[in-house]
């Protein structure tokens, strides 16, 4: 289903060892696995035929490598606000390990010690949304799971914590857009693999 309005294509980076094992990967630059590189390369076929007015990427090596392998490296603009959630003291740790020390912890509700809270990530997402609406074109974005989940929640007008309701697999494609007019933001497609 195509739209007469601008669409925002969201691509989560390919698999890394940490995404595979469930370790929180915020600001650490963990490379793609061989499977991650293969899936990133296959994104080129999946995105073929779409015209993008701009390509934006998170500064992380995993997002930038996914962008390059998908065939969109030349001309991609690095946007610092697209960086993954800063997990602070929980960087490199699994949710299971965190829960063993802090029962009941939830990332979107409780945030991370010495890192970001949902409101911090939401403020960065809001800045990206403002730039997207100013650009008024179909834009391709490469970033990471938790940031993209917050971005989608904010696109819909939900609080940043609303991102907890959305899940993204590695090398997935999602599309944000509009329904009847530019005052009705919607999710057009989600987590396509």
């Amino acid at each position: 289903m195509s739209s007469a309005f601008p669409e925002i294509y969201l691509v989560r980076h390919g698999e890394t060892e940490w995404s595979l094992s469930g370790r929180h990967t915020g600001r650490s630059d963990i490379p793609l696995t061989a499977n991650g590189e293969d899936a990133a390369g296959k994104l080129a076929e999946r995105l073929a035929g779409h015209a993008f007015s701009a390509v934006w990427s998170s500064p992380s090596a995993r997002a930038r490598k996914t962008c390059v392998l998908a065939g969109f490296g030349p001309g991609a603009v690095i946007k610092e606000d697209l960086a993954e959630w800063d997990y602070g003291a929980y960087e490199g740790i699994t949710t299971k390990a965190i829960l063993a020390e802090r029962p009941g912890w939830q990332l979107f509700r409780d945030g991370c010690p010495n890192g970001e809270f949902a409101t911090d990530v939401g403020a960065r997402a809001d800045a990206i949304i403002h730039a997207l609406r100013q650009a008024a074109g179909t834009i391709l974005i490469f970033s990471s799971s938790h940031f993209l989940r917050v971005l989608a929640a904010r696109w819909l007008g939900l609080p940043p914590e609303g991102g907890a309701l959305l899940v993204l697999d590695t090398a997935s494609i999602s599309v944000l857009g509009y329904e009847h007019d530019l005052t009705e933001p919607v999710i057009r497609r989600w987590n396509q693999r």
Side-chain angles (χ1 to χ4, degrees), residues 6-8 126 129 132-133 150-158 176-178 184-187:
E7 293 182 320
I8 311 306
D126 288 346
I129 290 169
L132 289 167
R133 293 201 168 122
V150 171
L151 180 67
R154 296 301 300 137
W155 180 263
L156 297 174
L158 299 173
L176 307 178
Y178 301 92
E184 294 183 17
V186 296
I187 294 176

Side-chain angles (χ1 to χ4, degrees), residues 11 52 103 111:
V11 177
F52 299 105

Side-chain angles (χ1 to χ4, degrees), residues 12-37 39-40 60-63 66 84 87 90-96 143-146 149 167-172 193:
R12 182 181 175 197
H13 63 76
E15 175 190 274
T16 68
E17 288 295 334
W18 282 18
S19 67
L20 187 60
S21 65
R23 294 170 68 179
H24 286 83
T25 316
R27 304 304 164 91
S28 298
D29 259 335
I30 307 302
L32 300 179
T33 62
N35 286 339
E37 288 186 1
S60 75
R62 61 193 178 274
T66 301
E84 177 60 303
Y87 299 116
Y90 294 158
E91 181 76 8
I93 301 175
T94 65
T95 297
K96 182 178 179 179
S143 188
S144 298
S145 179
H146 286 132
R149 291 166 64 180
V167 174
L168 281 175
D169 295 317
T170 55
S172 62
R193 297 221 22 192

Side-chain angles (χ1 to χ4, degrees), residues 60-168:
S60 75
R62 61 193 178 274
R64 288 183 288 117
K65 180 75 169 186
T66 301
C67 178
V68 167
L69 292 172
F72 295 94
V77 176
I78 304 303
K79 298 273 188 182
E80 295 296 325
D81 282 335
L82 290 173
E84 177 60 303
W85 197 306
D86 182 349
Y87 299 116
Y90 294 158
E91 181 76 8
I93 301 175
T94 65
T95 297
K96 182 178 179 179
I98 296 167
L99 289 171
E101 296 293 320
R102 190 174 168 187
W105 174 81
Q106 293 177 10
L107 174 65
F108 286 88
R109 183 191 65 210
D110 303 321
C112 300
N114 302 317
E116 288 183 305
F117 291 85
T119 53
D120 302 316
V121 182
R124 291 192 290 112
D126 288 346
I128 290 295
I129 290 169
H130 177 77
L132 289 167
R133 293 201 168 122
Q134 293 297 312
T138 295
I139 296 177
L140 176 60
I141 292 176
F142 292 84
S143 188
S144 298
S145 179
H146 286 132
F147 177 79
L148 291 174
R149 291 166 64 180
V150 171
L151 180 67
R154 296 301 300 137
W155 180 263
L156 297 174
L158 299 173
E161 295 83 358
L165 303 173
L166 305 168
V167 174
L168 281 175

